[in-house]
């Protein structure tokens, strides 16, 4: 922060870009004591939860809920009475970052760059604090896929129609940030770049826009978000549907409700094409991914290793599993992309 403030105080003749990243809020949830004192654990309000929340999920959904990779198991947090302490510490780190952002904005306001600098603030992902019995990221639910996103143009170049403090409800995505920043800088992104510039929404939050956005978490897993609905498609073909208008906590999985068949088909049609992969296969605790180009199979152990984030291919660790899946595919040739091996 100190370095960035120093840059803002300097005089510059050419346009410049500063990217300031904050590690917090993130484990370990440490902040100066005065910020922890703001949130006594005894008075902290826990996030909404429901007993048996996972009962209407598929095996894939429960796997992603109970993964311990990001921050451990919710059952352990509850067992040792640390839920309120963890939420308190998380809030403290958020307030600490708010304080640091305030220092940056103060330095900008006092600098010669105040009237010609765009401010863009966002986070890389959301965070569960026990919702869905999950701690951390790497899920397709609202808590993990929704992030703060603020864009403030300088007064000198604010688009016609821009009103400070306006809230835009259009579904957008983090991949929209690069084309947005590129257009702001006068160098529009090429046609090969995914995403689209958000400048039209800055000028008019009600501008015509896509009715959905897609978040991918792991190969073959996608969440489709609209202002009302959330549809989650897992690699093994199982899925979830939530009406966030009546169920903002995503407790009631409607995927098996025949009354919602039409909305499921409409949202399913918005899934991105999986051109890179020929098959996604569940085989017991394993997830196998077969490339469309004939390359080697990728394998992930979702139970023992809990590698739901799929950072490391484990095919060489389990050659017998790879051989068994390969044998099954030869005996059952199919164009089906999402397969469950019994």
């Amino acid at each position: 922060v100190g370095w960035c403030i120093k840059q803002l105080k300097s005089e510059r003749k050419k346009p410049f870009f500063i990217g300031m990243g904050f590690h917090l809020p993130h484990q370990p949830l440490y902040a100066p004591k005065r910020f922890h004192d703001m949130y006594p654990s005894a008075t902290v309000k826990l996030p909404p939860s429901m007993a048996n929340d996972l009962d209407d999920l598929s095996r894939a959904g429960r796997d992603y809920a109970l993964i311990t990779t990001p921050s451990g198991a919710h059952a352990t947090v509850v067992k040792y009475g640390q839920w309120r302490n963890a939420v308190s510490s998380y809030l403290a780190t958020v307030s600490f970052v708010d304080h640091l952002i305030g220092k940056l904005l103060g330095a900008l306001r006092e600098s010669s760059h105040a009237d010609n600098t765009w401010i863009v603030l966002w986070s890389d992902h959301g965070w569960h604090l026990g919702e869905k019995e999950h701690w951390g990221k790497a899920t397709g639910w609202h808590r993990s896929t929704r992030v703060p996103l603020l864009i403030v143009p300088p007064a000198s170049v604010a688009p016609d129609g821009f009103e400070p403090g306006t809230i835009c409800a259009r579904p957008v995505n983090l991949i929209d940030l690069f084309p947005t920043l590129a257009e702001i800088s006068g160098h529009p992104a090429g046609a090969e770049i995914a995403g689209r510039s958000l400048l039209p929404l800055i000028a008019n939050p009600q501008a015509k826009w896509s009715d959905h956005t897609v978040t991918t978490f792991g190969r073959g897993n996608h969440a489709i978000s609209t202002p009302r609905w959330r549809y989650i498609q897992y690699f093994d073909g199982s899925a979830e549907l939530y009406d966030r208008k009546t169920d903002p906590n995503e407790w009631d999985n409607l995927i098996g409700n025949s009354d919602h068949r039409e909305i499921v088909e409409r949202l399913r049609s918005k899934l991105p094409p999986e051109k890179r992969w020929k098959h996604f296969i569940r085989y017991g605790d394993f997830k196998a991914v077969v490339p469309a180009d004939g390359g080697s199979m990728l394998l992930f152990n979702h139970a023992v290793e809990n590698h739901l984030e799929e950072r490391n291919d484990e095919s060489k660790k389990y050659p017998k599993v790879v051989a068994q899946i390969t044998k099954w595919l030869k005996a059952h040739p199919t164009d089906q992309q999402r397969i469950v091996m019994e």
Side-chain angles (χ1 to χ4, degrees):
V1 174
W3 183 89
C4 288
I5 290 176
K6 182 178 179 181
Q7 304 308 307
L8 291 172
K9 289 181 178 180
S10 65
E11 296 297 328
R12 294 174 179 267
K13 295 182 179 180
K14 295 182 179 180
F16 63 98
F17 172 87
I18 292 180
M20 176 65 203
F22 297 92
H23 177 74
L24 297 173
H26 196 281
Q27 320 97 315
L29 297 172
Y30 297 157
K33 184 177 182 300
R34 66 183 185 277
F35 295 100
H36 287 276
D37 291 342
M38 294 169 61
Y39 302 99
S41 60
T43 63
V44 163
K45 182 179 179 180
L46 295 178
S49 61
M50 183 182 73
N52 304 318
D53 184 15
L54 308 184
D55 286 359
D56 60 357
L57 303 186
S58 67
R59 177 174 180 176
R62 289 192 296 273
D63 283 349
Y64 278 90
L66 300 176
I67 179 177
T68 60
T69 300
S71 298
H74 180 62
T76 303
V77 174
V78 173
K79 177 180 178 180
Y80 291 99
Q82 296 300 308
W83 198 355
R84 290 185 182 277
N85 288 334
V87 173
S88 170
S89 296
Y90 185 85
L91 294 174
T93 60
V94 171
S95 290
F96 180 39
V97 172
D98 284 348
H99 167 72
L100 296 176
I101 293 172
K103 294 184 68 174
L104 279 175
L105 294 178
L108 174 61
R109 189 163 42 246
E110 296 173 359
S111 75
S112 60
H113 310 297
D115 294 331
N116 62 6
T117 299
W118 285 78
I119 301 170
V120 185
L121 174 68
W122 74 92
S123 175
D124 55 345
H125 54 75
W127 195 259
H128 289 253
L129 290 168
E131 303 95 337
K132 294 288 183 189
E133 300 185 31
H134 185 76
W135 283 85
K137 54 182 180 178
T139 78
W141 295 300
H142 179 76
R143 296 296 187 188
S144 183
T145 59
R146 184 173 183 266
V147 301
L149 175 59
L150 293 85
I151 301 178
V152 184
S156 60
V157 295
D160 292 338
F162 172 76
E163 296 184 11
T166 299
I167 296 175
C168 178
R170 296 289 190 262
V172 300
N173 201 289
L174 292 180
I175 62 173
D176 298 325
L177 287 175
F178 179 81
T180 302
L181 295 173
E183 185 173 359
I184 287 173
S185 67
H187 298 85
E192 73 280 4
I193 299 298
R196 58 192 294 197
S197 172
L198 300 176
L199 290 190
L201 292 180
I202 297 173
N204 176 17
Q206 303 304 319
K208 185 178 180 180
W209 202 256
S210 174
D211 65 351
H212 73 285
T213 190
V214 181
T215 301
T216 298
F217 57 107
R219 297 166 180 83
N221 301 321
H222 308 284
I224 308 292
S225 304
T226 77
R228 177 173 178 176
W229 300 96
R230 176 173 301 269
Y231 174 78
I232 301 175
Q233 172 77 71
Y234 294 103
F235 74 94
D236 60 3
S238 61
E240 298 167 24
L241 175 70
Y242 300 100
D243 183 350
R244 290 192 44 78
K245 181 179 180 180
T246 60
D247 180 25
N249 295 307
E250 300 176 343
W251 287 339
D252 187 10
N253 180 12
L254 301 171
I255 196 64
N257 189 324
S258 60
D259 293 340
H260 297 90
R261 188 173 300 156
E262 183 177 341
I263 186 65
V264 168
E265 291 304 316
R266 183 170 71 83
L267 294 174
R268 186 175 288 159
S269 70
K270 300 179 183 298
L271 289 169
E274 299 281 9
K275 296 181 179 180
R276 292 179 58 194
W277 312 113
K278 184 177 181 179
H279 299 301
F280 300 104
I281 304 168
R282 173 181 289 284
Y283 176 50
D285 294 329
F286 292 92
K287 172 182 178 179
V289 183
V290 180
D293 62 3
S296 300
M297 178 189 303
L298 305 179
L299 189 71
F300 308 98
N301 186 338
H302 278 189
V304 178
E305 306 297 340
N306 229 337
H307 283 175
L308 293 183
E309 293 186 331
E310 302 175 11
R311 298 182 181 181
N312 300 298
D313 170 30
E314 300 176 284
S315 58
K316 293 183 179 180
K317 187 175 181 180
Y318 299 99
K320 292 183 179 179
V321 174
V322 172
Q324 186 67 26
I325 295 174
T326 301
K327 179 180 178 181
W328 188 93
L329 287 174
K330 288 182 178 179
H332 303 82
T334 178
D335 293 330
Q336 184 177 342
Q337 191 171 46
R338 302 175 187 275
I339 299 170
V340 178
M341 285 178 55
E342 301 296 342

